[in-house]
């Protein structure tokens, strides 16, 4: 998919993001977060920024640690069911996945000073699974021709590249994967694209070809965060906290996209294509593993404005990641050109590439009202600066210049609104309810009809719309022990692209000022709907 050895040679052929860098869709993936934590936190949809006193708040508003008056230790287990349904041209394809995991654990140690000003100083550690990538989905496509075929997409991307840059030679040490975009090389070596003239290309699936297609995707991995916090309580009015968060990132994807066709096009023995002469199929498979680690700082405050009313504010710096990708791809093909068989497997080398990524900074503003011993009503607003994300390669100059500009142009800040309530039925037994709404990170004009640059040979991607969370929970306290349960339903719809649209030759490949480009390549865009049902159980002890 990507190579780093011959950066200068590759710049002449394509943008850095297309050759071996990352793309906008990768930045979206790396910055994703979910509402996860203790069952009490989940039961109130994560609206805890002005409340504190919960293990999860160490990673949300660090001032929440200052609210503690006693030491605490807790752990949470989670059982979830992910159902992904793809709708393509009115046809639905569903896949379901179950998972059991430990999503949260931590402790807080309280040191009491019994002074009028500084009441106590608290130290804490918390682990929280910020995001699970586990899901699988599939779909099928009908009525494919060159303009919405993967082979047509590769052919359009290859315009301007000579055959010599994509071809291997048994009599030479030249390897096209060292200096040319891997997708273009793989397409040429598997006969998906074939040269015409003046460095232009035709595709095996073309005008008049009758073709169908299939896509399957399997994802897994997680974003795991480890928080180390310190905070305190001043006059029982002002609570403060600061923390350092270390993040582990792991992501795997395996995908396959194939087409079965009649009336395709391959060059004859003279190297020309005069008419449809080929039937057959091909399947492109991709495997990508991304792992990395990051570090960031969090700080926050909570103020008890009155006995019942609380305000909170927290700021999270960007997470500074060091990432590594390992990847490979292959195309299995079986073509019959007027009795001549083309049946083989074209493969890329196994590749690896390391780089840096800066996630968006976040701001959280919160308010809560405590109804004495009867209940709580809490609100959170989060602002995530997705359009300020960036990639970097410390060993090259302007390696990700285009990609970082695309991030700023295509992405919007994400706004998250949370509301949660708790009603104490008895002194020991509580019921909870919550709702959260998260806006789309992608500007609406880029959802269809505009190019979304991708990197390497993995062409499929999704663009998320809004996300909704519906939560309920129960809690029971007896002596120093507490048990909480919660149910959360997350609903999200996304656009699913097998590959990006591409503008015609009269338009720039990427021109943010042209919102209605004429398209040379127009893939069939599906709707991917995710329903995630999570059941969480938390057990803890205060001492």
């Amino acid at each position: 998919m990507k190579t780093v050895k011959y950066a200068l040679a590759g710049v002449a052929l394509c943008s850095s993001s297309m050759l071996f860098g990352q793309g906008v869709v990768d930045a979206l993936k790396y910055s994703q977060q979910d509402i996860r934590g203790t069952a009490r936190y989940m039961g109130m949809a994560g609206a805890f920024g002005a409340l504190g006193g919960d293990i999860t708040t160490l990673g949300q508003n660090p001032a929440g640690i200052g609210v503690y008056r006693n030491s605490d230790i807790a752990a949470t287990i989670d059982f979830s069911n992910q159902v992904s349904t793809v709708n393509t041209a009115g046809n639905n394809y569903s896949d379901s996945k179950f998972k059991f995991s430990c999503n949260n654990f931590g402790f807080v140690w309280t040191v009491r000073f019994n002074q009028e000003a500084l009441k106590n100083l608290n130290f804490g550690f918390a682990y929280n699974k910020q995001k699970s990538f586990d899901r699988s989905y599939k779909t099928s496509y009908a009525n494919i021709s060159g303009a919405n075929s993967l082979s047509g997409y590769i052919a359009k991307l290859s315009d301007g590249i000579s055959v010599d840059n994509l071809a291997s030679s048994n009599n030479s040490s030249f390897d096209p994967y060292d200096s040319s975009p891997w997708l273009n090389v793989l397409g040429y070596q598997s006969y998906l694209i074939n040269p015409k003239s003046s460095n232009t290309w035709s595709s095996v699936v073309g005008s008049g070809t009758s073709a169908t297609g299939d896509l399957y995707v399997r994802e897994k991995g997680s974003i795991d965060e480890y928080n180390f916090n310190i905070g305190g309580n001043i006059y029982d009015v002002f609570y403060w906290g600061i923390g350092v968060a270390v993040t582990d990132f792991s992501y795997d994807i395996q995908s396959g996209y194939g087409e079965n066709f009649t009336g395709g096009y391959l060059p004859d023995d003279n190297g020309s294509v005069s008419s449809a002469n080929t039937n057959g199929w091909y399947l492109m498979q991709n495997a990508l593993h991304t792992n990395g680690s990051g570090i960031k700082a969090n700080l926050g405050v909570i103020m008890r404005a009155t006995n019942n009313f609380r305000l909170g504010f927290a700021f999270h710096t960007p997470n500074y990641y060091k990432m590594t990708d390992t990847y490979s791809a292959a195309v299995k093909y079986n073509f019959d050109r007027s009795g001549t068989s083309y049946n083989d497997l074209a493969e890329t080398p196994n590749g690896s590439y390391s780089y840096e990524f800066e996630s968006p900074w976040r701001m959280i503003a919160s308010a809560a009202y405590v109804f004495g011993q009867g209940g709580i009503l809490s609100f959170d607003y989060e602002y995530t600066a997705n359009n300020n994300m960036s990639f970097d390669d410390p060993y090259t100059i302007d390696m990700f210049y285009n990609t970082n500009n695309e991030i700023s142009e295509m992405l919007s800040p994400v706004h998250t609104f949370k509301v949660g309530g708790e009603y104490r039925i008895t002194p020991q037994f509580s019921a909870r309810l919550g709702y959260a709404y998260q806006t789309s990170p992608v500007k609406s004009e880029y959802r269809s009809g505009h190019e979304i640059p991708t990197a390497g040979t993995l062409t499929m991607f999704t663009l998320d719309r809004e996300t909704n969370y519906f939560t309920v929970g129960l809690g029971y306290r007896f002596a120093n022990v507490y048990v909480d349960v919660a149910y959360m339903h997350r609903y999200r719809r996304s656009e699913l692209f097998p590959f990006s649209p591409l503008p015609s030759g009269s338009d720039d490949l990427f021109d943010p000022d042209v919102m209605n480009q004429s398209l040379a390549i127009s893939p069939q865009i599906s709707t991917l709907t995710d329903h995630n049902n999570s059941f969480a159980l938390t057990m803890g002890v205060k001492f």
Side-chain angles (χ1 to χ4, degrees):
M1 287 175 62
K2 315 171 185 77
T3 179
V4 72
K5 288 186 186 177
Y6 298 93
L8 293 179
V11 169
L13 297 173
C14 63
S15 71
S16 62
S17 63
M18 294 295 292
L19 180 57
F20 42 68
Q22 305 305 302
V24 175
V25 293
D26 299 291
L28 286 173
K29 178 172 59 188
Y30 299 164
S31 61
Q32 289 181 345
Q33 289 194 338
D34 218 337
I35 296 178
R36 290 175 176 268
T38 66
R40 187 183 183 209
Y41 179 88
M42 292 174 63
M44 294 177 61
F48 257 81
L51 295 174
D54 185 273
I55 291 294
T56 312
T57 61
L58 273 66
Q60 185 204 31
N61 184 349
I65 195 175
V67 176
Y68 276 95
R69 297 175 182 270
N70 298 287
S71 299
D72 185 18
I73 185 169
T76 302
I77 56 175
D78 179 275
F79 177 78
S80 63
N81 170 230
Q82 171 78 32
V83 180
S84 299
T85 302
V86 180
N87 182 286
T88 302
N91 297 311
N92 289 328
Y93 307 85
S94 293
D95 216 320
S96 180
K97 194 166 183 59
F98 294 88
K99 185 172 183 179
F100 177 83
S101 62
C102 177
N103 279 346
N104 172 274
F105 63 83
F107 67 86
V108 172
W109 178 45
T110 297
V111 179
R112 299 182 183 87
F113 291 97
N114 297 318
Q115 297 179 6
E116 184 178 358
L118 184 61
K119 299 292 186 180
N120 53 271
L121 192 65
N122 299 331
F123 303 87
F125 163 79
Y127 159 78
N128 197 52
K129 187 180 293 294
Q130 295 282 357
K131 173 71 178 178
S132 173
F133 292 108
D134 288 20
R135 67 175 177 178
S136 56
Y137 51 90
K138 59 191 175 186
T139 192
S140 295
Y141 306 93
N143 303 317
I144 295 176
S145 63
N148 48 30
S149 166
L150 176 62
S151 62
Y153 171 77
I154 300 173
K156 177 63 177 175
L157 285 180
S158 301
D159 283 348
I161 302 177
S162 70
V163 175
D164 292 340
N165 287 317
L166 302 182
S168 299
S169 173
N170 294 329
N171 300 320
S172 171
S173 60
F174 172 72
D175 185 347
Y177 286 107
D178 286 338
S179 57
S180 297
W182 282 27
L183 181 63
N184 307 67
V185 177
L186 185 61
Y188 174 73
Q189 296 187 349
S190 58
Y191 297 95
L192 301 188
I193 62 172
N194 296 284
K196 293 194 295 186
S197 60
S198 303
N199 295 335
T200 60
W201 297 81
S202 64
S203 56
V204 67
V205 175
S207 177
T209 302
S210 176
T212 59
D214 294 283
L215 170 70
Y216 71 86
V217 178
R218 170 71 174 91
E219 297 174 289
K220 63 179 181 179
S222 63
I223 302 176
D224 301 314
E225 188 172 273
Y226 304 86
N227 293 276
F228 303 86
N229 287 34
I230 182 173
N233 172 356
I234 300 175
Y235 289 112
D236 283 333
V237 173
F238 183 80
Y239 309 90
W240 60 273
I242 58 174
V244 173
V246 177
T247 305
D248 285 337
F249 183 97
S250 178
Y251 175 77
D252 286 275
I253 183 171
Q254 294 181 335
S255 71
Y257 177 87
E259 295 178 355
N260 193 314
F261 63 89
T262 58
Y265 299 83
L266 283 178
D268 59 24
D269 293 337
N270 297 319
S272 62
V273 180
S274 56
S275 62
N277 58 5
T278 303
N279 301 326
W281 58 266
Y282 69 88
L283 173 64
M284 177 178 288
Q285 296 175 301
N286 276 277
L288 167 68
H289 172 70
T290 303
N291 69 280
S293 59
I295 188 169
K296 67 173 183 176
N298 307 325
L299 57 93
V301 294
I302 294 175
M303 184 179 70
R304 192 171 69 173
T306 70
N307 286 336
N308 303 97
F309 187 60
R310 297 180 181 182
L311 296 171
F313 179 82
F315 179 79
H316 295 217
T317 70
N319 204 328
Y320 299 94
Y321 281 101
K322 291 187 180 294
M323 313 287 277
T324 299
D325 285 358
T326 54
Y327 39 82
S328 62
V331 174
K332 173 65 177 175
Y333 57 93
N334 189 344
F335 303 147
D336 184 292
R337 191 209 71 195
S338 303
T340 301
S341 177
Y342 297 76
N343 186 354
D344 207 344
L345 178 71
E347 299 178 277
T348 70
N350 293 321
S352 179
Y353 177 56
S354 296
Y355 53 94
E356 296 177 355
F357 173 68
E358 181 180 318
S359 75
W361 57 267
R362 296 169 60 209
M363 176 196 73
I364 306 170
S366 312
Y369 192 87
V370 181
F371 298 89
Q373 299 298 315
I376 298 169
L377 185 61
S378 183
F379 301 89
D380 278 11
Y381 165 72
E382 296 184 16
Y383 177 94
T384 305
N386 273 31
N387 53 337
N388 286 339
M389 296 185 286
S390 63
F391 290 98
D392 187 35
D393 184 332
Y395 302 105
T396 61
I397 299 174
D398 291 337
M399 170 69 178
F400 291 102
Y401 178 81
N402 287 343
T403 299
N404 292 335
N405 283 343
E406 290 156 6
I407 289 172
S408 298
E409 177 60 35
M410 296 181 182
L411 302 186
S412 299
V414 172
H415 307 275
T416 305
F417 305 89
K418 303 176 181 178
V419 57
E422 180 180 82
Y423 176 69
R424 187 163 293 177
I425 301 171
T426 71
Q428 292 79 33
F429 188 60
S430 300
R432 304 174 185 117
L433 192 67
Y435 171 74
Y437 173 82
Q438 187 177 80
T439 62
S440 170
V442 183
K443 293 180 181 178
S444 59
E445 56 263 34
Y446 289 97
R447 294 196 174 282
S448 62
H450 210 288
E451 183 186 7
I452 307 294
T454 57
T457 58
L458 186 61
T459 62
M460 59 73 50
F461 60 91
T462 60
L463 298 179
D464 293 340
R465 299 185 192 176
E466 301 82 4
T467 306
N468 291 270
Y469 298 86
F470 306 88
T471 69
V472 295
L474 297 171
Y476 190 78
R477 304 287 188 269
F478 48 99
N480 295 331
V481 178
Y482 58 93
V483 178
D484 297 306
V485 294
Y487 165 75
M488 180 179 73
H489 176 76
R490 186 191 71 222
Y491 170 75
R492 175 188 294 146
R493 298 177 69 191
S494 310
E495 277 80 29
L496 169 62
F497 294 74
F499 44 87
S500 173
L502 289 179
S504 64
S506 61
D507 291 326
D508 293 336
L509 287 181
F510 179 75
D511 184 355
D513 296 323
V514 180
M515 291 293 110
N516 296 305
Q517 295 176 325
S518 57
L519 296 179
I521 301 297
S522 181
Q524 298 183 39
I525 303 173
S526 308
T527 298
L528 171 62
T529 303
D530 285 323
H531 291 274
N532 183 277
N533 298 289
S534 294
F535 299 87
L537 169 67
T538 299
M539 298 186 66
V541 179
K542 293 183 182 290
F543 55 94

